[in-house]
């Protein structure tokens, strides 16, 4: 009997981890799926460039504006059910976006943005709750899956559209949402069964004792520091993603298709950066130093393009490492600097809400500065300024030296009545 229990315990985290990674594949992919079929959308929907631009900017605005509402939703529905709400929203928005005209496309995009916002906030809470002994590694895998989802949709949407049309190609990514929902539901059911069996056998660990309420996250300097750090990270990422191909075409004479290679390098190296950060945290045991190292990599991007633009493949690779590592170290810091799961949820909402609000303005600001100055020197200095903000605000907020723990904490036990809420 004991061996069977151990076997079940070994399977459960793997199933939940698979659910987390499949969910992550759907938290960025729908945003970039439009880019490969922009021309088809403009032709068939008779849409203006401004309307098409809304299809990429609306979700990022949702990330910022709706994060506090997502936090409240998670508090009411429960952590696990909130994941299902996120996936239902992404699926509904994906289908709606592929139907009808511009109005349906914009409405579907809003629904996608709201669904992803819930996922953005709740998944770090899930990682802190269900993987307390491996938060760094699971956070890295989650971040890598975000980039992998973007890469998959960028690479395959156009090919699908050639075969079945852009509407079916966009809607087809809903199948990935269905797969994520199915795996997550299976993991949740397994957790219910395990919790029930442990309670019946008297083996369930006691729930953690209630902790005294601490100060609001809005009053914690650490929360503001992490928010500014994430804002600098997201501002730099979205600005670089939006303008790097144009910059290389202008400054290096590359064709737009050739300059698009930069985006591939950017996304590919992000996976390596995401997994390098937990290793550095375990080695140095100072998240603040890891964040500082990430900002140093980020700084090579604008400085390198200013000083030695011909080496752009190198700067794109280093920036890819930085963008994958940057979001990972901030998420690790959110988990580490939270006193409990409630504070984790609130801190995650605050950091991401504020950060994405700034990020949504990044491409607009950099583009406006470029139009005003007629060159790329000042826009790159603006990006460098965002990196400096990330370093100055994030380094003292990420956390200092932490001694290794001899025993990893057990997952928080979930009562059956609580699981019924999610």
């Amino acid at each position: 009997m004991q061996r069977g229990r151990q076997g079940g315990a070994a399977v459960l985290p793997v199933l939940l981890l698979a659910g987390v990674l499949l969910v992550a594949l759907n938290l960025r992919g729908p945003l970039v799926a439009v880019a490969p079929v922009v021309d088809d959308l403009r032709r068939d929907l008779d849409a203006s460039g401004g309307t098409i631009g809304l299809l990429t900017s609306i979700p990022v605005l949702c990330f910022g504006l709706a994060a506090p509402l997502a936090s409240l939703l998670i508090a009411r529905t429960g952590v696990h059910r909130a994941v299902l709400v996120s996936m239902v929203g992404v699926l509904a928005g994906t289908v709606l976006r592929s139907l009808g005209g511009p109005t349906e496309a914009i409405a579907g995009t809003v629904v996608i943005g709201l669904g992803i916002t819930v996922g953005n906030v709740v998944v770090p809470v899930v990682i802190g709750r269900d993987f307390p002994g491996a938060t760094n590694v699971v956070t890295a895998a989650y971040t890598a899956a975000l980039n992998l989802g973007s890469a998959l949709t960028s690479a395959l949407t156009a090919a699908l559209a050639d075969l079945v049309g852009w509407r079916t190609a966009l809607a087809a990514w809903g199948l990935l949402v269905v797969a994520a929902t199915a795996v997550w539901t299976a993991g949740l059911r397994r957790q219910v069964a395990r919790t029930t069996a442990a309670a019946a056998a008297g083996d369930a660990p006691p729930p953690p004792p209630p902790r005294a309420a601490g100060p609001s996250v809005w009053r914690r300097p650490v929360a503001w520091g992490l928010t500014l750090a994430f804002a600098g990270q997201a501002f730099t990422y979205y600005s670089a993603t939006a303008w790097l191909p144009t910059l290389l075409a202008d400054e290096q004479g590359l064709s737009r298709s050739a300059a698009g290679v930069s985006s591939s390098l950017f996304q590919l190296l992000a996976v390596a950066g995401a997994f390098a950060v937990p290793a550095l945290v375990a080695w140095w045991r100072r998240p603040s130093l890891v964040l500082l190292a990430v900002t140093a990599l980020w700084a090579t991007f604008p400085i390198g393009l200013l000083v030695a633009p011909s080496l752009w493949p190198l700067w794109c690779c280093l920036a890819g490492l930085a963008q994958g590592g940057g979001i990972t170290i901030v998420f690790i810091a959110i988990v580490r600097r939270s006193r409990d799961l409630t504070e984790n949820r609130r801190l995650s909402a605050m950091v991401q809400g504020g950060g994405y609000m700034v990020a949504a303005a990044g491409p607009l600001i950099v583009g406006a500065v470029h139009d005003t100055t007629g060159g790329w020197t000042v826009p790159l200095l603006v990006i460098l300024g965002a990196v400096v903000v990330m370093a100055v605000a994030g380094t003292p907020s990420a956390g200092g030296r932490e001694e290794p723990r001899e025993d990893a904490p057990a997952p928080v036990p979930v009562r059956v009545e609580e699981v019924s809420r999610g």
Side-chain angles (χ1 to χ4, degrees):
M1 177 65 70
Q2 183 67 22
R3 180 178 300 176
R5 285 189 196 140
Q6 290 175 349
V11 171
L12 176 63
V14 173
L15 193 58
L16 285 178
L17 178 59
V20 167
L21 297 184
L22 284 171
V23 167
L25 289 178
N26 293 285
L27 295 184
R28 291 298 179 272
L31 306 185
V32 301
V34 171
V37 292
V38 161
D39 292 338
D40 294 336
L41 266 73
R42 295 190 66 170
R43 181 187 65 248
D44 293 349
L45 300 181
D46 193 22
S48 65
T51 299
I52 297 299
L54 287 175
L55 299 183
T56 56
S57 61
I58 284 176
V60 182
L61 287 174
C62 288
F63 295 170
L65 293 173
L69 297 177
S71 178
L72 293 176
L73 174 69
I74 295 165
R76 291 184 65 87
T77 64
V79 171
H80 295 99
R81 183 172 290 178
V83 175
L84 298 179
V85 171
S86 171
M87 291 295 95
V88 169
V90 174
L91 178 60
T94 298
V95 174
L96 179 60
R97 184 177 61 180
S98 64
L99 303 174
T103 301
E104 289 80 6
I106 292 176
T109 300
V110 171
V111 175
I112 289 173
L114 294 175
I116 292 178
T117 301
V118 175
N120 286 343
V121 176
V122 75
V123 172
V125 181
V126 169
I127 293 173
R129 173 175 185 155
D130 295 321
F131 303 92
T135 55
N136 293 357
V137 174
V138 176
T139 299
Y142 164 67
T143 306
L146 293 177
N147 287 282
L148 181 58
S150 297
L152 284 174
T153 51
S154 295
L156 299 179
T157 299
L160 283 174
D162 290 339
L163 293 174
V164 297
W166 67 267
R167 294 181 186 274
T168 304
L170 292 182
W173 291 109
L175 296 175
L176 189 59
V177 183
V178 173
T181 303
V183 173
W184 182 260
T185 302
L188 183 56
R189 288 176 176 173
R190 181 70 62 86
Q191 186 166 9
V192 173
R194 183 189 181 210
T195 302
T196 303
D203 295 336
R211 303 187 64 166
S216 167
V217 292
W218 294 92
R219 298 181 179 179
R220 294 186 62 193
V222 163
W224 286 101
L226 291 177
T227 299
L228 288 173
F230 190 73
Q233 156 77 21
F235 182 99
T236 304
Y237 169 73
Y238 283 101
S239 298
T241 300
W243 290 109
L244 182 58
T246 302
L247 183 154
L248 293 177
D250 291 347
E251 298 295 312
Q252 296 297 303
L254 300 181
S255 67
R256 292 302 172 95
S257 59
V261 174
S262 63
S263 298
S264 300
L265 294 173
F266 202 46
Q267 298 295 341
L268 182 63
L269 270 296
V271 176
F275 282 104
V277 159
L280 289 176
V281 170
W283 183 21
W284 293 348
R285 283 183 257 159
R286 293 181 184 269
S288 58
L289 289 183
V290 178
L291 188 142
L292 191 60
V294 167
T295 58
L297 282 178
W298 259 131
T300 64
F301 175 70
I303 294 174
L305 290 175
L306 286 171
V307 176
S310 62
L311 297 178
W312 65 266
L314 173 61
W315 312 134
C316 289
C317 289
L318 294 178
L321 291 171
Q323 70 105 339
I327 190 172
T328 303
I329 188 60
V330 172
F331 284 166
I332 287 174
I334 288 173
V335 174
R336 284 176 172 253
R337 303 292 291 205
S338 299
R339 290 158 37 93
D340 51 36
L341 292 172
T342 298
E343 189 169 85
N344 185 340
R345 169 177 56 81
R346 293 172 178 167
L347 184 57
S348 178
M350 177 180 174
V351 169
Q352 295 192 63
Y356 282 123
M357 283 291 292
V358 175
L364 298 176
I365 292 174
V366 170
V369 172
H370 170 62
D371 290 341
T372 301
T373 62
W376 288 103
T377 298
V378 179
L380 286 172
L381 291 177
V382 170
I383 291 176
L384 180 59
V387 174
V388 172
V389 169
M390 181 182 178
V392 173
T395 300
S397 303
R401 182 176 181 85
E402 296 187 10
E403 296 299 328
R405 303 178 64 174
E406 294 182 358
D407 57 333
V412 177
V414 181
R415 297 183 298 274
V416 175
E417 60 269 24
E418 183 179 352
V419 172
S420 68
R421 295 175 53 242

